[in-house]
Amino acid sequence: EAQVTQNPRYLITVTGKKLTVTCSQNMNHEYMSWYRQDPGLGLRQIYYSMNVEVTDKGDVPEGYKVSRKEKRNFPLILESPSPNQTSLYFCASSLSRGDRRGLAFFGQGTRLTVV
Amino acid sequence: QKEVEQNSGPLSVPEGAIASLNCTYSDRGSQSFFWYRQYSGKSPELIMFIYSNGDKEDGRFTAQLNKASQYVSLLIRDSQPSDSATYLCAVTSVRGGADGLTFGKGTHLIIQP
């Protein structure tokens, strides 16, 4: 089954404790992206990657890092999480940057709480 | 700054009626337009995409685009309770693109049985 898999689904952590949210897709997609969703603010892009070893900042990259060492994986790293990073996070992928379907595949989401 | 505006709702529609969801965008260079459905606590699910002015139909869904008025809408015919969800409009200046999507905050739709 074609899918984007995120882990963990839920995470409660403390301020400053480094964490990684994993994202993996099994569709050989070139384009992957991370979004956060907050009430009243909607979905905002954090980082994206157009292919292996090619990443770039989205609209709200501060406090986050990403890497794309393999085509299938695109982890999101929070080096020193803060309470304002409490949010619902989505990883998404598409065949390419120019995929006519837009961002067609989203992961299940990761609900992160930083206390 | 690119903006995508949607009425947050809730929009309440009786079962079997037509639900009409609207979206306006600020960037005149926008090329690609998408509608997503999101159930509470779930991930967005792509419903429709449209690139050209006019209507595009897919089953009970019709997307309408008017670039001159910077307006895109989604009609849901024969509304069902299972259509109750938040509908997100997304826009990008990339032709046929997944990149650079700007999302609206969504319209909460309630279909009343």
Side-chain angles (χ1 to χ4, degrees), chain A residues 31 35 37 40-43 45 48 50 90 94 96-104 106-108 111, chain B residues 34 36 38 41-46 49 51 56 88 94-105:
Chain A
Y31 187 89
Y35 281 81
Q37 187 173 36
L41 295 176
L43 278 160
Q45 191 180 46
Y48 64 95
M50 288 197 270
F90 290 105
S94 63
S96 69
R97 179 176 184 256
D99 192 336
R100 278 185 63 81
R101 299 167 299 174
L103 266 182
F106 277 79
Q108 321 96 301
R111 188 167 292 281
Chain B
F34 305 90
Y36 291 84
Q38 186 176 26
K42 303 295 187 183
S43 56
E45 173 192 5
L46 181 67
F49 55 85
Y51 299 107
K56 179 183 178 182
L88 306 175
V94 177
R95 177 72 181 176
D99 192 28
L101 283 169
T102 299
F103 284 83
K105 296 181 177 63

Side-chain angles (χ1 to χ4, degrees), chain B residues 17-36:
Chain B
I18 296 175
S20 179
L21 303 161
N22 303 317
C23 171
T24 59
Y25 58 93
S26 63
D27 182 10
R28 284 200 169 273
S30 298
Q31 299 275 347
S32 311
F33 307 86
F34 305 90
W35 282 100
Y36 291 84

